[in-house]
Amino acid sequence: MTKNIKKSLNLNYGVGFGKTILFGEHFVVLGLPGIVGALNHTGEVVVEPSSSKEYEFTDNSPKFPGVEPITWQMCQKTILKILNHLGIDTPLKITLQGNLPVPNSGIGSSAAHLVAFSRAVNNLFKLGLSEEQINKAAFEGEKVVHGNPSGIDNTAATYGGFFWFQRREKDNIIKPILNKQPIEIVLAESGKKTIAKTVIEALRIFIKENPQVATPIFEEYEEVVISAKNAIEENNMELLGSLMNKNHELLQKLTISCKELDHIVKIARDGGALGAKLTGAGRGGLAVALTPGTELQNKVSDALEQAGYTTLKTKINNNHSDK
Ligand code: PMV
């Protein structure tokens, strides 16, 4: 359990981890396994009873360039869904903060803040929720934001560390994967907006119309994700990087990449990253580069920044909260 989460047990605030999908965006929506890593950058939320009968909302969370602050109008439905799920009807003063920069998509910022919010409400009202109940409450909010999400984001935001994730009708399969040490990565923003819901729907149509293309890709992906789990556990970063490259190639074949993401991936690899791929919804948003060690991380980040992309240097920690 991280220091932040321990600290938050006694107060009216909570934290949730940002995330990067290292393997399996879109594949997880279809029920195939994915591997997600929680970041050591977190969203935080502070809640207190509102001094008036109205909700008060302030967004102090950092943003990638061009991303507007979140307003109460944008998140009212989501917040009220979670409060209704938790049986709370007291108007609240809600403040978003933390060090997780919010991009257009790809870092799990909605899930991080919804987990943080659920923890904060749990602490303020002394609800005694388990980690699983926090995860479920945040997922209620995620459904309002994303329509039909797999649940991978809120799971990473709740538990931290690396996870094997597989969507199931009833209980998702969530298995911690133990990396031997924190792994440095670079996230780069393509500057192109994307909406997960829209890309998921486009992919659904592509698969329906091109089963002869899609089926072998799914088969190949399943081998990639199993090898990736072993590579993480064995700390084989070269293999992990080459599997990320393979995952990117499979997503390209499924039409999920775009020229900006392919450009980031190329610069990162040319700069020495062990692997690079798009992460999240695709067709815009973020890419992730595997850069173990701060020296390589700085080198790859500098190369991407010089090419005009905004980056975040972060890590996937090797901690999990108690489940
Ligand atoms: O762009 P993000 O961070 O919301 O990730 C979307 C990942 C998908 O697999 C496309 C959707 C999902 O719910 O898993």
Side-chain angles (χ1 to χ4, degrees):
M1 198 181 273
T2 70
K3 207 166 112 217
N4 276 351
I5 292 175
K6 261 189 193 156
K7 203 168 135 201
S8 74
L9 287 175
N10 303 318
L11 299 166
N12 58 340
Y13 85 100
V15 301
F17 299 98
K19 70 100 207 338
T20 184
I21 299 179
L22 279 201
F23 294 90
E25 44 279 284
H26 292 284
F27 296 106
V28 287
V29 176
L30 304 167
L32 294 170
I35 295 179
V36 61
L39 308 179
N40 73 338
H41 281 75
T42 54
E44 277 183 35
V45 175
V46 178
V47 289
E48 45 198 304
S50 169
S51 49
S52 69
K53 286 202 169 83
E54 301 293 320
Y55 283 82
E56 296 170 57
F57 184 86
T58 312
D59 177 12
N60 291 333
S61 64
K63 306 282 183 295
F64 274 80
V67 177
E68 297 293 321
I70 299 155
T71 62
W72 176 238
Q73 281 70 27
M74 284 155 79
C75 65
Q76 176 177 10
K77 242 175 111 183
T78 310
I79 294 288
L80 294 181
K81 180 80 192 292
I82 294 181
L83 289 173
N84 184 42
H85 174 80
L86 296 176
I88 303 288
D89 57 9
T90 313
L92 295 171
K93 182 175 176 203
I94 302 164
T95 308
L96 307 193
Q97 54 189 51
N99 66 355
L100 179 71
V102 178
N104 285 308
S105 85
I107 213 165
S109 58
S110 63
H113 287 109
L114 295 179
V115 165
F117 175 71
S118 304
R119 285 194 195 285
V121 170
N122 179 41
N123 294 335
L124 179 66
F125 294 98
K126 299 188 172 38
L127 301 177
L129 300 179
S130 66
E131 291 289 275
E132 195 184 342
Q133 287 168 320
I134 295 280
N135 192 17
K136 283 209 167 120
F139 186 56
E140 288 302 310
E142 280 285 277
K143 286 193 275 189
V144 179
V145 181
H146 293 299
N148 179 25
S150 63
I152 196 167
D153 284 15
N154 45 286
T155 300
T158 304
Y159 297 116
F162 260 119
F163 277 92
W164 176 272
F165 177 92
Q166 199 161 5
R167 183 183 203 172
R168 283 287 170 265
E169 194 67 33
K170 199 164 174 289
D171 288 317
N172 295 331
I173 300 170
I174 303 166
K175 287 193 203 143
I177 302 175
L178 289 177
N179 46 321
K180 294 203 166 70
Q181 59 202 45
I183 300 172
E184 285 79 8
I185 55 170
V186 176
L187 295 172
E189 156 77 59
S190 65
K192 202 175 162 202
K193 285 192 182 168
T194 182
I195 300 170
K197 249 190 226 178
T198 313
V199 187
I200 289 170
E201 179 54 16
L203 179 59
R204 194 188 63 76
I205 294 167
F206 178 84
I207 294 168
K208 200 165 161 231
E209 289 174 355
N210 302 279
Q212 76 291 354
V213 178
T215 308
I217 290 176
F218 297 150
E219 285 165 9
E220 206 173 339
Y221 169 72
E222 286 201 275
E223 285 175 24
V224 167
V225 72
I226 291 166
S227 304
K229 178 177 178 290
N230 296 336
I232 294 168
E233 285 170 343
E234 288 160 11
N235 203 32
N236 187 341
M237 293 295 113
E238 277 79 18
L239 177 60
L240 186 65
S242 71
L243 293 164
M244 286 170 65
N245 292 343
K246 186 74 207 170
N247 192 161
H248 185 73
E249 194 188 309
L250 297 178
L251 290 165
Q252 280 175 318
K253 286 185 187 160
L254 288 173
T255 75
I256 300 303
S257 194
C258 62
K259 71 175 188 322
E260 292 83 353
L261 288 169
D262 289 345
H263 189 219
I264 292 174
V265 161
K266 182 173 184 321
I267 294 169
R269 290 177 194 163
D270 289 351
L274 302 186
K277 63 181 274 290
L278 70 87
T279 183
R283 295 192 180 175
L286 296 179
V288 57
L290 183 68
T291 56
T294 47
E295 201 181 314
L296 181 58
Q297 187 183 40
N298 287 333
K299 186 168 171 264
V300 171
S301 166
D302 288 350
L304 288 163
E305 293 270 346
Q306 268 164 28
Y309 296 105
T310 304
T311 65
L312 174 70
K313 292 184 269 185
T314 184
K315 284 194 279 199
I316 302 173
N317 286 330
N318 51 349
N319 59 291
H320 299 90
S321 69
D322 304 332
K323 283 189 64 200

